[in-house]
Amino acid sequence: MRRVFWRSLQLRVVTSTMVISIVVVAVLGVFLMQQIARATLEARESAARSEAQADRNAVLGYLNQPAAEAAKQPVESGQALQAGGGSPLSQATDALARRAGSASRYSVIIRNENRPGEFYGTTNIDPVSIPPRQREELFKKEAGEDSTWYTPLYYKGQPEPVPGLIIGTRLDTWGTGLDTSYEIYHLVPLDKEERILASVQQMIILVGAGLVLLLAAIAFLVTRQVVTPVRLARQAAERLAAGRLDERLKVRGEDDLARLATSFNEMAANLALKIHQLEELSQVQRQFVSDVSHELRTPLTTVRMAADLLYDAREDFDPMAARSAELMQNQLNRFEAMLADLLEISRYDAGAADLDIDSVDVRDVVLRAVADSEALAERHSTRFDLRLPGEPCMAEMDSRRVERILRNLLFNAIEHGEGRDIVVSVGADRDAVAVAVRDHGVGLKPGEENLVFDRFWRADPSRARTIGGTGLGLAISREDAMLHGGWLQAWGAPGEGSQFRLSLPRVAGAVLRGSPLPLVPPEVEMRRTWRGQHMTPVLSPAVIDGGRDAD
């Protein structure tokens, strides 16, 4: 899902639009809901205050009647005085009950401070609905001041409370003959308002969800108009990169996307023209190298015959002439080697190289390459340390090309090994075989692991080649390894020497997924680990072309 999300611009835009829309709609919905709830409750509270004020005046009128003395008659503690009594409070309660109409509108509770257990109530309101803290707050206020509380209301016969509003007021009757104080509470149920607010909230949620989906759909349609041409351009660019130089985009309209398509088509046309010109130039160059190499063989053969005669008769010449004959012989050998390498490179460039596959023992190929390199190794005071397995290492390969790879690696190790031992290791597993050539010479600097396989590259341009190499050996070796579907990798470090590893699949044409030998020498890896400097090897271009790292 993460990969799909980051690969799809349209999905990211739609997702971002939905997330932002949800946040905005949620904030606006909460704000709108708060405003609606505040306005609804304020309107209900204002109406309740008006009714409470009118009811207080009505109660005061009943208390001022001459029959107010009847209100002093004893009442059993906790008993509610209902309609039908002759006291002013009961008459006032009857009047308030008629004014309220039903408990769904409001209820009234009247308490006499001189009679704590007595209360007068309309309908079936339960006096426990009045919070004790509200009564304490009411006693701290002046007579006539309101105390407003939002609290659950309890009704007799109903198991569940309902949300409500209580407006309480103290009513003093000093000087009227009663000489007492009354508490009047108006209890207004808010269940209807709660249901209305719940409906409004549900409607806001539905409208908000619909708005979010609508915005997401709009974002999808809008981005599709932009993403679709971009996606087509990407697909065309991929096909163009794959070699289909005739790929073009359809131009529709005159907007920015149309101009982008026009620019892309112009770029593709110019690129195709340049590539065609470069292909023609490369073909001319390859043909030139091939023709020159072939044409040079005839005069070179004649020169070789004359040089061989002079070289064989050098003992009859004076020292200067004899030395000249030896130099000419050496340079002719180098010239022939360079000519052969140029012909081989031209075959690779022309795509004409092929393999002569046969099942051979890699150990035999290594021994033949070492035997061909022993004379050169003796001249440089170098000794080979062979580490071959005891069992045959059979693999399908072109033994001539693999032997040439190993000779190039051995010659390179002799030239840069500074006379120290060269370790040649052979390894094999179920799927691959490998040969590693390790020298203990100057080594390679960081980044040079990728350059050693370039044509005519030298780490130190001022340093002459000591064994007369052409500068194409490692480049040809890499091409030979890639032709087998294998890897040719290099590792090196200043002062620790270098190691080249050739890895080939056991079966021709199989995909190489690993190597039985490590690229970094085990002793170097162990030393680096001890020092806490674990080193990650840099791979050669052959590994990059192979598509996988063996280590």
Side-chain angles (χ1 to χ4, degrees):
M1 290 298 295
R2 186 183 300 110
R3 182 173 179 268
V4 172
F5 178 79
W6 289 111
R7 285 176 61 90
S8 176
L9 176 61
Q10 188 173 10
L11 179 59
R12 292 204 305 274
V13 171
V14 173
T15 304
S16 302
T17 303
M18 288 189 64
V19 171
I20 296 174
S21 300
I22 290 173
V23 173
V24 173
V25 169
V27 172
L28 293 178
V30 170
F31 175 77
L32 183 61
M33 191 63 198
Q34 290 178 348
Q35 295 299 318
I36 294 175
R38 182 181 297 117
T40 302
L41 294 178
E42 286 180 354
R44 190 70 177 95
E45 182 179 342
S46 177
R49 288 182 182 276
S50 299
E51 292 174 342
Q53 182 63 38
D55 290 344
R56 284 197 298 269
N57 295 333
V59 171
L60 186 59
Y62 280 101
L63 292 178
N64 289 331
Q65 292 177 3
E69 292 296 333
K72 297 180 181 180
Q73 296 176 359
V75 180
E76 185 180 351
S77 178
Q79 179 181 356
L81 301 182
Q82 301 297 336
S87 67
L89 284 180
S90 62
Q91 296 176 8
T93 303
D94 291 340
L96 295 183
R98 289 191 296 270
R99 289 169 60 91
S102 64
S104 61
R105 190 168 172 221
Y106 67 88
S107 302
V108 179
I109 292 179
I110 303 176
R111 288 181 179 273
N112 189 341
E113 292 183 2
N114 294 333
R115 299 177 181 180
E118 176 185 331
F119 72 91
Y120 291 83
T122 63
T123 65
N124 57 342
I125 189 67
D126 195 331
V128 298
S129 302
I130 302 174
R133 294 180 59 186
Q134 185 177 14
R135 297 192 63 190
E136 296 176 359
E137 178 183 335
L138 190 63
F139 287 130
K140 296 177 182 180
K141 293 178 176 291
E142 296 292 335
E145 292 185 1
D146 293 337
S147 174
T148 304
W149 282 62
Y150 287 91
T151 183
L153 303 182
Y154 297 89
Y155 292 89
K156 297 176 182 180
Q158 294 185 10
E160 297 295 332
V162 298
L165 167 67
I166 300 179
I167 301 177
T169 307
R170 285 176 54 241
L171 186 62
D172 290 339
T173 58
W174 305 103
T176 62
L178 296 177
D179 296 334
T180 185
S181 179
Y182 296 91
E183 303 169 40
I184 303 177
Y185 297 95
H186 281 73
L187 299 92
V188 182
L190 300 177
D191 51 345
K192 292 183 178 179
E193 286 75 9
E194 185 181 52
R195 288 194 296 270
I196 293 174
L197 292 177
S199 300
V200 171
Q201 182 179 8
Q202 184 178 5
M203 186 61 64
I204 290 177
I205 293 175
L206 293 177
V207 172
L211 181 60
V212 169
L213 295 178
L214 180 61
L215 292 175
I218 293 174
F220 176 81
L221 295 176
V222 172
T223 55
R224 185 177 180 180
Q225 296 179 357
V226 178
V227 172
T228 299
V230 174
R231 185 179 293 118
L232 294 176
R234 175 186 60 80
Q235 295 172 355
E238 291 176 350
R239 291 191 289 268
L240 186 65
R244 298 173 58 178
L245 301 180
D246 57 344
E247 187 67 28
R248 298 294 184 271
L249 289 176
K250 294 182 179 180
V251 180
R252 298 184 179 90
E254 298 180 355
D255 55 6
D256 293 336
L257 295 176
R259 290 197 294 270
L260 173 63
T262 302
S263 301
F264 178 87
N265 294 338
E266 293 176 356
M267 178 196 68
N270 294 332
L271 183 61
L273 178 61
K274 293 295 182 182
I275 291 177
H276 182 68
Q277 293 175 352
L278 290 175
E279 287 179 348
E280 291 181 347
L281 178 59
S282 177
Q283 180 65 29
V284 171
Q285 290 177 343
R286 289 197 298 267
Q287 189 64 37
F288 174 76
V289 172
S290 179
D291 294 343
V292 169
S293 300
H294 283 87
E295 292 298 329
L296 285 177
R297 283 187 173 275
T298 301
L300 182 60
T301 302
T302 304
V303 174
R304 164 60 70 183
M305 294 174 59
D308 289 341
L309 291 175
L310 293 176
Y311 183 75
D312 293 339
R314 68 185 183 281
E315 295 180 356
D316 299 333
F317 300 156
D318 59 85
M320 293 295 295
R323 179 59 179 166
S324 298
E326 293 176 354
L327 292 176
M328 183 174 62
Q329 185 73 9
N330 292 333
Q331 294 303 315
L332 278 175
N333 292 335
R334 183 179 179 185
F335 185 50
E336 286 182 337
M338 183 178 294
L339 187 60
D341 289 345
L342 286 174
L343 284 173
E344 191 67 24
I345 285 292
S346 65
R347 292 191 188 97
Y348 279 113
D349 291 339
D354 55 0
L355 296 175
D356 185 10
I357 298 296
D358 192 12
S359 179
V360 297
D361 190 347
V362 179
R363 299 178 302 173
D364 297 337
V365 179
V366 171
L367 291 176
R368 288 197 299 269
V370 170
D372 293 341
S373 307
E374 284 182 346
L376 181 62
E378 290 178 358
R379 290 198 300 269
H380 288 77
S381 302
T382 301
R383 187 178 66 88
F384 291 118
D385 181 7
L386 300 181
R387 301 178 181 179
L388 307 179
E391 299 179 354
C393 302
M394 306 302 296
E396 297 178 357
M397 64 181 68
D398 188 337
S399 58
R400 179 184 65 84
R401 294 182 183 274
V402 174
E403 187 175 339
R404 180 171 62 187
I405 295 174
L406 297 179
R407 281 199 305 270
N408 288 330
L409 296 181
L410 292 173
F411 290 169
N412 181 76
I414 293 171
E415 181 175 5
H416 298 91
E418 298 184 340
R420 301 176 183 175
D421 292 351
I422 296 175
V423 180
V424 181
S425 304
V426 177
D429 57 19
R430 184 182 62 182
D431 301 320
V433 295
V435 180
V437 179
R438 166 87 160 99
D439 67 73
H440 300 81
V442 295
L444 296 173
K445 298 178 181 178
E448 292 182 349
E449 295 88 350
N450 296 326
L451 301 176
V452 292
F453 300 101
D454 292 346
R455 301 176 183 181
F456 302 106
W457 182 85
R458 282 190 287 179
D460 186 3
S462 62
R463 179 180 177 182
R465 301 185 186 274
T466 60
I467 61 175
T470 63
L472 295 173
L474 292 180
I476 295 176
S477 299
R478 182 183 63 176
E479 297 291 345
D480 284 334
M482 295 173 59
L483 192 62
H484 282 82
W487 304 334
L488 183 57
Q489 303 160 264
W491 168 90
E496 295 186 348
S498 60
Q499 177 166 292
F500 289 77
R501 182 182 67 179
L502 172 65
S503 304
L504 301 174
R506 278 185 177 268
V507 180
V511 178
L512 187 61
R513 301 184 182 278
S515 178
L517 293 178
L519 179 59
V520 181
E523 67 275 9
V524 176
E525 184 72 22
M526 186 178 300
R527 187 163 57 249
R528 297 291 187 185
T529 304
W530 286 346
R531 295 176 183 174
Q533 300 175 353
H534 185 74
M535 184 168 56
T536 301
V538 180
L539 303 182
S540 68
V543 180
I544 300 176
D545 296 336
R548 286 178 178 264
D549 181 10
D551 297 321

